[in-house]
């Protein structure tokens, strides 16, 4: 008993991961014209929180604490991409999304990240790419390496609830496309299953190429680098930025 109590006493308190605090801090810097400082706020949080996520045991995806941290990391990635979209740094924003779904073992398991990425593509008049993002998420089988090995395999979303949420968002976006207002969930599932030949859990690489195609950069548009590096900023924040996204 004494040994058990001693081991508990020496355990450090769990770190706090509050996306709202990171979003507000970054927004304050952005509103003052410090876009680079705002980016660095997001990058630092992503690196620190991902280290905490990797401290959990592999395969322990049902752990409530790990699931909560996974969701919080996802919210920070979405905020990071939204910041750059708000600053009209669209290529940078797309690269942030791409890094989240390709390289982050936490964010890539969360349906909201994929859905946000798809809606970003749709808002930039890239409907085929938006559709490709959903197909890639639904069809992927392997997750990025939890051990930090740098694997760039796409992820298999955790749990049926995440997958169903993704299908629901996919259907919603499909119905917003002119001429597709009457599409049903059964129609969508059948179409995707037939398209990828083998069901919505397996897809060849060629079927996901539209989701990973590069966006042609516009003049003055910054390009994102990995979170560990400082990104060059061309220009500052707009004079009247909108409020930060709410999660």
């Amino acid at each position: 008993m004494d040994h058990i109590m001693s081991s508990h006493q020496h355990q450090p308190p769990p770190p706090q991961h509050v996306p709202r605090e990171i979003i507000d801090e970054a927004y304050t810097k952005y509103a003052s014209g410090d876009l680079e400082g705002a980016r660095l706020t997001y990058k630092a949080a992503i690196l620190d929180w991902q280290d905490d996520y990797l401290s959990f045991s592999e395969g322990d995806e049902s752990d409530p604490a790990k699931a909560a941290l996974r969701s919080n990391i996802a919210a920070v990635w979405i905020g990071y991409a939204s910041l750059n979209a708000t600053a009209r740094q669209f290529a940078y924003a797309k690269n942030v999304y791409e890094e989240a779904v390709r390289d982050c073992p936490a964010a890539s398991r969360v349906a909201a990240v994929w859905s946000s990425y798809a809606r970003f593509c749709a808002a930039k008049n890239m409907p085929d790419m938006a559709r490709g993002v959903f197909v890639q998420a639904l069809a992927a089988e392997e997750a990025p390496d939890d051990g930090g090995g740098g694997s760039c395999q796409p992820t298999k979303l955790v749990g049926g609830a995440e997958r169903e949420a993704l299908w629901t968002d996919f259907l919603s976006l499909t119905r917003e496309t002119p001429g597709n207002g009457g599409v049903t969930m059964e129609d969508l599932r059948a179409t995707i299953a037939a398209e990828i030949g083998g069901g919505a859990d397996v897809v060849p690489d060629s079927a996901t190429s539209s989701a990973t195609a590069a966006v042609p950069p516009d003049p003055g548009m910054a390009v994102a680098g990995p979170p560990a590096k400082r990104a060059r900023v061309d220009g500052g924040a707009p004079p009247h930025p909108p409020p930060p996204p709410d999660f």
Side-chain angles (χ1 to χ4, degrees):
M1 178 64 71
D2 291 340
H3 173 72
I4 295 175
M5 292 180 62
S6 176
S7 64
H8 281 290
Q9 289 172 352
H10 286 86
Q11 289 180 352
Q16 297 298 311
H17 306 95
V18 183
R20 183 78 264 166
E21 293 179 359
I22 303 303
I23 292 168
D24 287 346
E25 179 182 345
Y27 172 72
T28 297
K29 293 177 180 179
Y30 169 73
S32 69
D34 186 10
L35 176 57
E36 173 68 357
R39 286 170 170 167
L40 290 175
T41 295
Y42 277 114
K43 291 178 182 181
I46 287 169
L47 287 172
D48 289 344
W49 294 15
Q50 184 162 287
D51 283 345
D52 293 334
Y53 182 80
L54 294 176
S55 69
F56 285 90
S57 299
E58 288 189 44
D60 195 16
E61 304 304 329
S62 61
D63 185 312
K66 187 175 185 179
L69 178 53
R70 185 164 57 240
S71 178
N72 289 338
I73 291 173
V76 171
W77 275 106
I78 293 172
Y80 183 23
S82 298
L83 167 80
N84 288 284
T86 297
R88 304 187 65 78
Q89 301 291 302
F90 300 122
Y92 199 118
K94 180 190 178 296
N95 287 348
V96 169
Y97 278 122
E98 193 59 35
E99 188 174 354
V101 301
R102 184 191 64 222
D103 295 336
C104 180
S108 56
R109 289 171 162 83
V110 179
V113 175
W114 294 91
S115 294
S116 182
Y117 184 11
R119 287 199 169 274
F120 165 79
C121 293
K124 300 310 297 175
N125 296 316
M126 297 183 290
D128 290 342
M129 187 174 291
R131 186 176 185 277
V133 169
F134 278 118
V135 172
Q136 181 184 2
L138 289 164
E141 293 190 0
E142 296 184 25
D145 183 8
D146 273 353
S151 171
C152 291
Q153 294 297 321
T155 183
K156 184 176 181 64
L157 294 177
V158 173
E162 288 290 330
R163 185 166 293 272
E164 289 307 308
L166 204 60
W167 276 113
T168 298
D169 290 343
F170 192 3
L171 178 62
S172 177
L173 188 62
T174 299
R175 286 175 170 173
E176 293 172 15
T177 304
N180 289 332
V183 173
T184 66
M185 181 64 79
E186 291 73 19
D187 294 335
L188 182 61
R189 288 179 185 268
T191 297
I192 299 303
E195 179 179 309
I196 65 180
D201 291 324
V202 180
V203 63
D205 291 341
S206 60
T208 65
S209 59
S210 63
T212 56
V215 177
D218 292 336
M221 190 178 292
V223 178
K229 298 180 181 179
R230 296 178 65 90
R232 181 175 65 85
V233 178
D234 295 328
H240 301 290
D246 193 13
F247 293 97

